[in-house]
Amino acid sequence: MNGITLALSKGRIFEETLPLLAAAGITPTDNPETSRKLIIGTNRPDVRLVIVRATDTPTYVQYGAADMGIAGKDTLIEHGGAGLYQPLDLNIAKCRLCVAVRKDFDYAAAVKRGARIRVATKYVKAAREHFAAKGMHVDLIKLYGSMELAPLVGLADAIVDLVSTGNTLKANNLIEVEDIMPISSRLVVNQASLKLKRELIQPVLEAFAGAIKP
Ligand code: AMP
């Protein structure tokens, strides 16, 4: 494609990217929440959007199927970031990556006595790095969703998950015991695209940078 393709996921990232796109003079012609289209045009003939699963955004950009994308730091850590240029923290879709346990699980005591705990998470890489840095031995169990269920049914002692308001933890009698890192979404750009399509990408990058909210 001669123009540029931006990979986005539905939901929070799409919603919070709209004002940034507007700042770059880009308006999508369809809403992915109501349309089943996976390729969405914009008011600009040289800009299109592709709607992908959040965890796939870095992959589309890495291989150049999309020139740019917007992905959470959590997703980028798990992907590894190969082939991606990450010029901007857009400060959108903010939350935190945390360790949480059942209210009746004494995490501090388990850590103190060096117990080998079972941790369920979608964020295996970030979790492994976190516990390794603490010198803790953990058995990681990879899940793809609803991590909150794992400690409730005895699958794991703890979870590593994203927390925003804390309502999901609260509703499931879980408590946060460690804050691993703040998370927000970043703009990622294919390294070859940045060189070959700089005249198209640079103005979008600058408009996004100017529209970032603190
Ligand atoms: P909350 O109840 O507001 O703390 O939200 C927690 C739930 O929403 C968890 O299941 C998280 O995995 C998910 N979540 C929260 N923030 C984000 C985010 N920025 N990106 C993706 N998932 C999120």
Side-chain angles (χ1 to χ4, degrees):
M1 154 129 181
N2 287 328
I4 47 174
T5 301
L6 176 69
L8 289 176
S9 50
K10 285 201 272 190
R12 226 175 134 179
I13 288 184
F14 184 84
E15 296 301 326
E16 296 189 33
T17 298
L18 284 176
L20 300 173
L21 288 171
I26 300 166
T27 313
T29 51
D30 279 290
N31 177 355
E33 301 299 338
T34 51
S35 162
R36 289 179 184 271
K37 281 189 188 170
L38 298 174
I39 301 179
I40 293 184
T42 70
N43 60 319
R44 278 180 47 178
D46 58 347
V47 180
R48 66 176 184 174
L49 311 178
V50 290
I51 306 302
V52 302
R53 212 186 148 119
T55 44
D56 292 334
T57 299
T59 308
Y60 277 85
V61 179
Q62 173 187 5
Y63 290 98
D67 301 293
M68 304 193 281
I70 296 177
K73 186 179 175 188
D74 51 319
T75 303
L76 290 167
I77 290 172
E78 298 309 309
H79 171 270
L84 303 178
Y85 174 57
Q86 297 185 28
L88 290 176
D89 180 348
L90 300 170
N91 217 19
I92 59 169
K94 285 164 78 172
C95 57
R96 341 187 269 291
L97 189 66
C98 296
V99 182
V101 297
R102 260 163 64 158
K103 268 190 187 148
D104 57 5
F105 182 80
D106 193 343
Y107 181 75
V111 172
K112 207 169 163 195
R113 66 169 191 276
R116 192 172 182 107
I117 64 164
R118 281 214 297 205
V119 180
T121 187
K122 189 167 138 186
Y123 309 100
V124 173
K125 207 164 161 185
R128 188 179 295 121
E129 282 166 18
H130 172 71
F131 292 112
K134 285 175 62 84
M136 279 173 69
H137 294 287
V138 298
D139 291 316
L140 290 172
I141 300 176
K142 166 91 183 181
L143 288 180
Y144 292 87
S146 301
M147 269 82 79
E148 295 88 355
L149 180 63
L152 306 181
V153 294
L155 178 61
D157 303 304
I159 59 170
V160 166
D161 194 9
L162 299 177
V163 178
S164 177
T165 60
N167 289 341
T168 308
L169 292 183
K170 210 167 158 191
N172 291 292
N173 290 312
L174 300 172
I175 50 162
E176 188 181 323
V177 287
E178 260 167 11
D179 197 347
I180 301 179
M181 68 178 83
I183 299 288
S184 54
S185 290
R186 281 117 210 275
L187 180 70
V188 293
V189 184
N190 175 275
Q191 289 174 348
S193 296
L194 187 65
K195 290 195 195 96
L196 299 170
K197 301 182 181 179
R198 188 179 278 279
E199 76 290 353
L200 282 174
I201 291 175
Q202 194 65 32
V204 174
L205 228 147
E206 281 167 21
F208 279 15
I212 295 170
K213 297 216 173 68

